[in-house]
Amino acid sequence: MSEANPNRCEGGADRSGTDPVVRVEDLVVEFSTEKGRIRAVDGISFSVMPGEPVGIVGESGCGKTVTALSVLKLIPSPPGRIARGQVFLDGKDVVPLGEREMRRLRGNVASMIFQEPMTALNPVFTIGGQMTEILRIHRRMSRREAREHSIEMLHTVNIESPAKRFTQYPHELSGGMRQRVMIAMALSCDPKLLLADEPSTALDVTVQAQVMEEIRRLQEERRMSMILITHDLGVIAETCRRVIVMYCGKIVEVSDTSGLFAHPRHPYTSGLLASIPKVREKKIERLPTIKGMVPDLADLPKGCRFADRCPKATARCRENEPGLVEVSPGQQVACFYPD
Amino acid sequence: MVEGAAEQPVANVIPAPDTSHYRSESLWTKSIRKFARDPMGIAALVIVSVFFVIACGVWAGWIGQNWSALQADGYTGMSREHWFGTNINGQDIYARTIQGTKTAFEVGLIVAILSTVIGGILGAVAGYFDRTIVDEVIMWLYGCLDAIPFYLFVAAVAFALRDQPYAMHVAMIATFWSSTCRIVRGEVIKIKSLEYVQAAKALGVGSMTIIFRHVIPNTFHILLVQGTIAFVSAIKSEVILTYLGLGVKHGVSWGTMLSESTFEVSAGIFNNFVAASSFLFLLVIAFNLFADALQDALDPKKVTAS
């Protein structure tokens, strides 16, 4: 499908190579709030290779979404700003770039899909009107070309009678269908990177599975890099090759997916895995939880941010903050006492 | 019939529902359908349309043209030639009332359209760039204008622009845009956090395109209602200002007629007074009812039984 398409964007030409599509270096994102300046993301570094699906997991407010938004420089500003660090998107640092240059990258080199499909489409325009807009901006297609390409994209994401859907308004489509339209829109310029921010959370469970299956298939077919943000470890297990676990704006563990599930190194990751209900469990037990509360970002503890909730915390943990170190091939962890 | 039924294949597959009759419906056509079910709204719309047709007739030069011609004697009662009688100068009150309809529509339309457009655009820009210097400047501007009492402001503008026929229009537009601006700004702050605006941004659509294509069309329901409110206020203000001698100078308006009637009512002559005030009353009340019905029809949260 995409290979046969003569109208590929410049962004979509090169899928091989070993340079990362995204490389984040020591990123700090600050928000000014009533309680003062808080760091939603505090000095994280990671990279995503071409064609690689990477998952970011963590609780609400741990900085997952902010990380994804900063890749496209979509942090609402004010109150937010990138205070430090670099974000290389396709080899180019986007932090110093202006709005106009960013616009050329957004939707073209990297696209983003959001959580809430019900409000993700403009209610006063038809599906077609919204899909063709992007193609006309990035590819300067004619109305007819854009229409044909959009219908083809709707077909690609398995929407039935795409030509009819093209002329319909968002309120005439179901949630799952709208999310498919969003995916079609995000992929219509054949980006190198897809940022998916909890794309299935707001959908019914059965529809969730279908939509995730769709995303997985398209990611593989197009050999596209992906950053999948979720708090659903099951989705990560099925979709991603590598997982980044975030806690309170910091990366606490980076691991291969198989390694993470087989042998979690950070106590927080172990806690997350333990709190997944197990269907085959014979004994009916109370589901394990991680004790305590996520600390307030405006009032963080001195040492390790997880120390207050950690079963293994010692005086050292409360005094010093552990850095991210490689404990085994493909597994990095920020803990003094990794499992 | 029996043979026909026998020829049917055994239906072990549920046939696809016939959707050929199904036509895609926008939120606008839905609103129109909703409006059509409201008898009050329809009645109000009919009355407003009649007024509008009268105004168009005057513009086209078909009716009410001899409003300034001096005929017969002053203060003749109602007759076949002069339906509503004549005024002190022997001018036909019917023609003057009709002409006044045109004046009212002229002021109403100009003020409603321009103040809504200005208020809508500034409100959308302020809301979209909220908490930036652009927003501060726009808020400061409407804060300042709102702080001045309306009639004082109009008197000042009318004085500053004396001899200009559009002094009154300028004054009204300069004050009426602010309420639209404030409401649109609030709505846009809400809209801009919605995901379709975020999504448009994430897909590389520019700020101005987002404002004009994605944000403002989603405030049209507010603009439409604000426009009708501005229209009614403009007509009322025009009459009041003309009555005070600050409004229409070259022409006739219901305000001129009411101003003339102040001397006549005490003398027991009601022609000017009744003609002007009943036309004004009917138009204003019909327009208000129309605006109400419009608001209900455009509000997607208000569901009426179909």
Side-chain angles (χ1 to χ4, degrees), chain A residues 285-296:
Chain A
E285 271 182 1
R286 185 179 273 268
L287 200 61
T289 54
I290 302 176
K291 289 194 175 46
M293 297 268 286
V294 183
D296 188 350

Side-chain angles (χ1 to χ4, degrees), chain B residues 105-115 166 169 173:
Chain B
F105 262 88
E106 221 165 61
V107 173
L109 284 178
I110 291 174
V111 172
I113 291 170
L114 288 179
S115 68
Y166 288 105
H169 302 66
I173 293 164

Side-chain angles (χ1 to χ4, degrees), chain B:
Chain B
M1 289 306 283
V2 176
E3 280 169 19
E7 276 167 21
Q8 293 278 315
V10 181
N12 53 3
V13 179
I14 301 164
D18 177 26
T19 53
S20 53
H21 65 278
Y22 181 83
R23 280 188 61 235
S24 196
E25 190 180 43
S26 76
L27 293 176
W28 290 109
T29 48
K30 226 176 193 158
S31 297
I32 292 168
R33 239 174 358 99
K34 220 159 144 190
F35 186 86
R37 281 201 300 266
D38 185 348
M40 251 338 214
I42 291 293
L45 181 62
V46 167
I47 296 173
V48 172
S49 309
V50 168
F51 274 96
F52 185 64
V53 168
I54 293 173
C56 289
V58 178
W59 272 314
W62 295 330
I63 44 173
Q65 298 301 304
N66 56 344
W67 58 278
S68 61
L70 302 171
Q71 302 151 347
D73 301 323
Y75 296 139
T76 56
M78 298 203 281
S79 64
R80 190 158 288 171
E81 303 95 273
H82 306 296
W83 290 0
F84 296 169
T86 57
N87 70 359
I88 186 167
N89 300 323
Q91 291 160 317
D92 184 38
I93 290 177
Y94 167 71
R96 289 171 77 80
T97 315
I98 296 297
Q99 190 71 27
T101 310
K102 186 212 84 173
T103 312
F105 262 88
E106 221 165 61
V107 173
L109 284 178
I110 291 174
V111 172
I113 291 170
L114 288 179
S115 68
T116 310
V117 167
I118 293 171
I121 291 175
L122 288 180
V125 170
Y128 191 78
F129 296 110
D130 89 295
R131 287 194 270 180
T132 65
I133 186 75
V134 182
D135 180 36
E136 290 291 330
V137 169
I138 293 172
M139 284 211 298
W140 174 82
L141 197 65
Y142 76 57
C144 285
L145 287 171
D146 274 3
I148 307 168
F150 174 61
Y151 290 106
L152 196 65
F153 183 76
V154 174
V157 172
F159 181 73
L161 297 176
R162 57 184 176 276
D163 306 328
Q164 296 287 326
Y166 288 105
M168 175 179 62
H169 302 66
V170 171
M172 282 195 228
I173 293 164
T175 48
F176 285 0
W177 67 273
S178 68
S179 62
T180 309
C181 180
R182 199 178 315 109
I183 296 171
V184 169
R185 177 177 173 271
E187 182 72 11
V188 169
I189 290 175
K190 191 190 94 190
I191 290 173
K192 103 174 171 164
S193 69
L194 291 181
E195 293 191 314
Y196 59 82
V197 174
Q198 299 294 321
K201 232 191 266 179
L203 292 169
V205 184
S207 298
M208 282 300 141
T209 319
I210 291 179
I211 292 178
F212 283 97
R213 266 187 65 98
H214 292 275
V215 172
I216 290 182
N218 277 293
T219 63
F220 273 167
H221 62 289
I222 294 175
L223 296 182
L224 212 55
V225 171
Q226 283 296 307
T228 55
I229 292 170
F231 184 89
V232 175
S233 317
I235 287 175
K236 283 194 293 186
S237 304
E238 178 264 310
V239 171
I240 294 164
L241 290 172
T242 307
Y243 177 80
L244 293 173
L246 293 168
V248 175
K249 294 205 178 68
H250 314 285
V252 65
S253 115
W254 296 331
T256 331
M257 294 168 64
L258 287 176
S259 166
E260 282 171 10
S261 75
T262 46
F263 308 105
E264 300 165 3
V265 170
S266 53
I269 302 163
F270 295 100
N271 298 25
N272 252 333
F273 175 72
V274 171
S277 52
S278 54
F279 267 61
L280 175 65
F281 174 76
L282 201 60
L283 178 59
V284 167
I285 205 153
F287 220 98
N288 275 333
L289 289 174
F290 168 68
D292 264 1
L294 196 64
Q295 199 156 17
D296 287 349
L298 290 173
D299 186 355
K301 282 169 214 111
K302 196 159 182 170
V303 180
T304 47
S306 52

Side-chain angles (χ1 to χ4, degrees), chain A residues 10 14 22 83 145 161 224 229 240 257 267 302 312 314 322-323 327 330:
Chain A
E10 328 103 86
D14 179 27
V22 184
E145 282 175 317
S161 44
M224 180 174 61
I229 293 165
C240 299
T257 308
K302 192 177 164 202
K312 299 199 288 183
T314 62
V327 287

